[in-house]
Amino acid sequence: MKSVFFYNYPVGMLGIAEDNGAICRIFFKGETTPADFETIETPLIQKAAAQLTEYFAGKRRSFDLSLVLQGTDFQMSVWKTLQTIPIGETRSYKDVAVMIGNPRASRAVGMANNRNPMVIIVPCHRVTGQDGSMTGYIGGIPAKEYLLELERRDA
């Protein structure tokens, strides 16, 4: 069964989607809702929502959820690498490109970040410009700044 449900958090409304017993997407309201998903609050979606609530309260630093990520091999390598950035820290797009073994792929890393299906859990908000500047974020720069400040405060 494909389900999605929306919750309000300090960064705005987030949709949590489940497909076949795994969380398949966490996204900001306003992004395209996955097609063919029914708006139902399942136990797994409730568990994900509770863990996000704990994260925003500063009581959770990692997530324990069944996830399924779908993307190209390149995107998957970027998303896997993002998950190694410690909470409270940032890396530049170039840093991530170097980490995946493709130092000239900074722009492609940015595109993979843009297509990240699992905001917050796959922490694309921890990626900044080479000079540490806040660059684009699907939830908006204020949301990115909020997430980074939350993580630095609780690190």
Side-chain angles (χ1 to χ4, degrees):
M1 176 167 65
K2 297 179 177 183
S3 306
V4 65
F5 206 78
F6 291 87
Y7 300 87
N8 197 21
Y9 292 102
V11 293
M13 189 75 69
L14 295 176
I16 303 172
E18 172 187 353
D19 187 10
N20 291 320
I23 300 298
C24 62
R25 191 154 173 226
I26 298 178
F27 59 100
F28 286 91
K29 188 167 183 151
E31 292 181 61
T32 304
T33 301
D36 303 328
F37 279 65
E38 194 171 351
T39 303
I40 295 177
E41 188 178 34
T42 68
L44 180 58
I45 289 174
Q46 288 175 332
K47 180 180 178 182
Q51 288 189 20
L52 283 167
T53 297
E54 292 169 353
Y55 166 83
F56 283 110
K59 297 177 182 174
R60 177 171 289 275
R61 297 172 58 87
S62 63
F63 296 88
D64 177 28
L65 297 165
S66 176
L67 305 175
V68 61
L69 292 168
Q70 294 182 340
T72 66
D73 290 344
F74 181 84
Q75 289 170 333
M76 297 294 282
S77 70
V78 170
W79 300 336
K80 183 177 180 181
T81 300
L82 296 179
Q83 294 175 75
T84 69
I85 302 171
I87 194 165
E89 294 184 21
T90 60
R91 300 292 183 271
S92 71
Y93 293 98
K94 181 168 180 65
D95 292 337
V96 175
V98 168
M99 292 166 74
I100 64 170
N102 196 343
R104 301 181 86 188
S106 297
R107 289 181 193 263
V109 166
M111 290 306 298
N113 264 17
N114 186 51
R115 289 187 169 72
N116 174 15
M118 207 76 60
V119 298
I120 300 171
I121 292 177
V122 175
C124 57
H125 61 275
R126 295 182 191 153
V127 182
T128 64
Q130 186 68 27
D131 62 357
S133 61
M134 293 296 115
T135 55
Y137 184 61
I138 195 77
I141 298 299
K144 183 173 187 166
E145 290 172 334
Y146 178 90
L147 293 169
L148 291 172
E149 179 57 35
L150 172 72
E151 292 180 354
R152 287 179 182 131
R153 183 179 64 228
D154 296 329

